[in-house]
């Protein structure tokens, strides 16, 4: 039974596939009513959807222990990392699901790319909220503080930092270029560009908050696990989803300009958006990469 539950959590495309199957089976084109076989398929698909959704919302994560054990040899460090992996994955999933639901209510035309942007927004916000909650912990009792000086560059990758800078620069340049665009496209391009700029700025600010937030004096093993946790949070947790969102917003803005060059650039930004989202998934975590 546990193996079945694990697969339901890992194979998340069921969350999209199950409703599609229900809609196809229940389509009026299939006849006057549902037969017993069709009803069974629809109910089975709906049951899988509800079970998979419930497990993900509850934070069930069968992969967290295995990933944590590869990242740390200390049991206490593994427990710390496993807790973060579960929390981050759950917050990201809830954020992405909320973004999807909100997009269906906001977008009357059902634009698929904009729906994906809402999902990325939810994932990025969820990943950020998974870290912000740490600052609300009660500060009772006298504890020794770790006075080590930490820098953002030590916990983030050069590629991610340059990507955030590139998004900010392209966003400003695109907003300026839009001044010579048609009046119909100008407002949309400016809004998307400024939104991308805001995403890059917030991600950079949150990176610093996560890296420099205080911590008590810890044993060496726990300190190493905490350092790794901060690195994972400042890269895969929210930064890479934010980069994916920013690139997607720029792709959307470029597509609205309509020129051949702009459309080609939009395709490149869309591909980059997808690549950065994939690189943010916990399934892509490798010990050699995470401990750099």
């Amino acid at each position: 039974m546990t193996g079945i539950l694990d697969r339901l959590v890992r194979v998340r495309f069921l969350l999209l596939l199950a409703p599609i199957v229900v809609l196809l089976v229940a389509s009026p084109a299939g006849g006057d009513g549902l037969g017993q076989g069709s009803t069974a398929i629809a109910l089975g698909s709906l049951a899988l959807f509800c079970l998979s959704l419930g497990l993900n919302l509850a934070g069930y994560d069968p992969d967290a222990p295995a990933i944590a054990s590869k990242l740390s040899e200390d049991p206490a460090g593994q427990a710390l990392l496993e807790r973060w992996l579960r929390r981050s994955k759950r917050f990201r999933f809830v954020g992405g699901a909320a973004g999807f639901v909100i997009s269906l209510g906001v977008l009357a035309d059902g634009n698929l790319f904009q729906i994906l942007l809402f999902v990325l927004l939810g994932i990025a916000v969820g990943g950020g909220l998974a870290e912000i909650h740490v600052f609300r912990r009660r500060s009772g009792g006298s504890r020794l503080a770790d006075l080590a000086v930490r820098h953002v560059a030590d916990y983030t990758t050069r590629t991610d930092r340059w990507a955030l800078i590139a998004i900010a620069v392209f966003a400003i340049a695109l907003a300026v270029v839009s001044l010579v665009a048609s009046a119909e496209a100008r407002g949309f391009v400016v809004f998307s560009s400024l939104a991308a700029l805001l995403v890059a700025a917030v991600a950079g600010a949150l990176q610093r908050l996560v890296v420099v937030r205080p911590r008590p004096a810890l044993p060496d093993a726990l300190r190493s696990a905490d350092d790794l946790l901060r690195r994972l949070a400042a890269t895969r947790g929210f930064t890479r989803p934010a980069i994916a969102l920013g690139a997607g917003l720029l792709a959307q803005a470029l597509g609205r300009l309509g020129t051949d060059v702009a459309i080609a650039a939009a395709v490149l930004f869309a591909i980059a958006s997808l690549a950065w989202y994939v690189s943010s998934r916990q399934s892509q975590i490798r010990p050699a990469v995470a401990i750099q």
Side-chain angles (χ1 to χ4, degrees):
M1 182 63 181
T2 302
I4 296 176
L5 297 181
D6 292 352
R7 290 183 181 181
L8 281 176
V9 172
R10 293 189 181 106
V11 186
R12 290 189 173 184
F13 71 82
L14 287 175
L15 292 172
L16 296 176
L17 182 61
I20 293 174
V21 171
V22 173
L23 290 175
L24 290 176
V25 171
S27 173
D32 295 333
L34 293 179
Q36 292 183 352
S38 298
T39 301
I41 293 174
L43 292 177
S45 300
L46 188 59
L48 287 176
F49 170 81
C50 293
L51 182 57
S52 179
L53 180 63
L55 289 171
N56 281 284
L57 290 177
Y60 182 76
D61 185 1
D63 298 321
I67 295 175
S69 65
K70 293 178 181 179
L71 298 178
S72 175
E73 297 180 354
D74 179 69
Q78 291 176 9
L80 181 67
L81 289 166
E82 182 179 339
R83 185 173 60 185
W84 178 84
L85 289 167
R86 294 183 188 277
R87 183 179 70 244
S88 180
K89 191 171 185 177
R90 181 185 183 187
F91 273 69
R92 282 164 52 112
F93 177 82
V94 172
F100 177 74
V101 172
I102 292 172
S103 69
L104 296 181
V106 172
L107 302 174
D109 59 352
N111 186 302
L112 179 59
F113 190 74
Q114 290 189 1
I115 291 176
L116 293 177
L117 288 181
F118 270 88
V119 173
L120 286 175
L121 173 61
I123 293 173
V125 171
L129 290 177
E131 309 307 324
I132 290 177
H133 89 286
V134 175
F135 299 102
R136 298 198 296 267
R137 290 178 178 173
R138 60 181 182 274
S139 56
S142 59
R143 306 174 70 181
L144 296 176
D146 183 349
L147 301 180
V149 178
R150 293 181 293 275
H151 303 282
V152 172
D154 297 329
Y155 292 83
T156 57
T157 67
R158 181 179 300 175
T159 303
D160 288 346
R161 293 195 300 274
W162 277 108
L164 284 177
I165 293 173
I167 286 175
V169 171
F170 274 108
I172 295 173
L174 195 55
V176 173
V177 169
S178 68
L179 296 178
V180 297
S182 64
E184 181 181 356
R186 186 179 306 132
F188 184 86
V189 173
V190 170
F191 175 81
S192 297
S193 300
L194 294 181
L197 178 62
L198 178 62
V199 167
V202 171
L206 191 54
Q207 277 183 340
R208 177 168 179 77
L209 284 176
V210 168
V211 169
V212 304
R213 68 188 176 200
R215 71 180 175 196
L218 298 171
D220 290 343
L222 275 180
R223 187 167 60 250
S224 297
D226 180 74
D227 283 337
L228 178 54
L229 185 152
R230 291 169 192 259
R231 178 179 176 83
L232 291 173
T235 53
R236 299 175 188 273
F238 60 86
T239 298
R240 291 181 184 175
I243 293 172
L245 174 61
L249 288 168
L250 292 178
Q252 177 179 250
L254 286 164
R256 183 59 64 93
L257 289 177
T259 65
D260 292 340
V261 173
I263 292 175
V267 172
L268 293 177
F269 273 101
I271 294 174
S273 175
L274 177 60
W276 249 281
Y277 164 69
V278 171
S279 72
S280 77
R281 292 174 58 84
Q282 290 184 7
S283 60
Q284 303 299 314
I285 294 177
R286 298 291 183 273
V289 175
I291 301 176
Q292 284 179 352

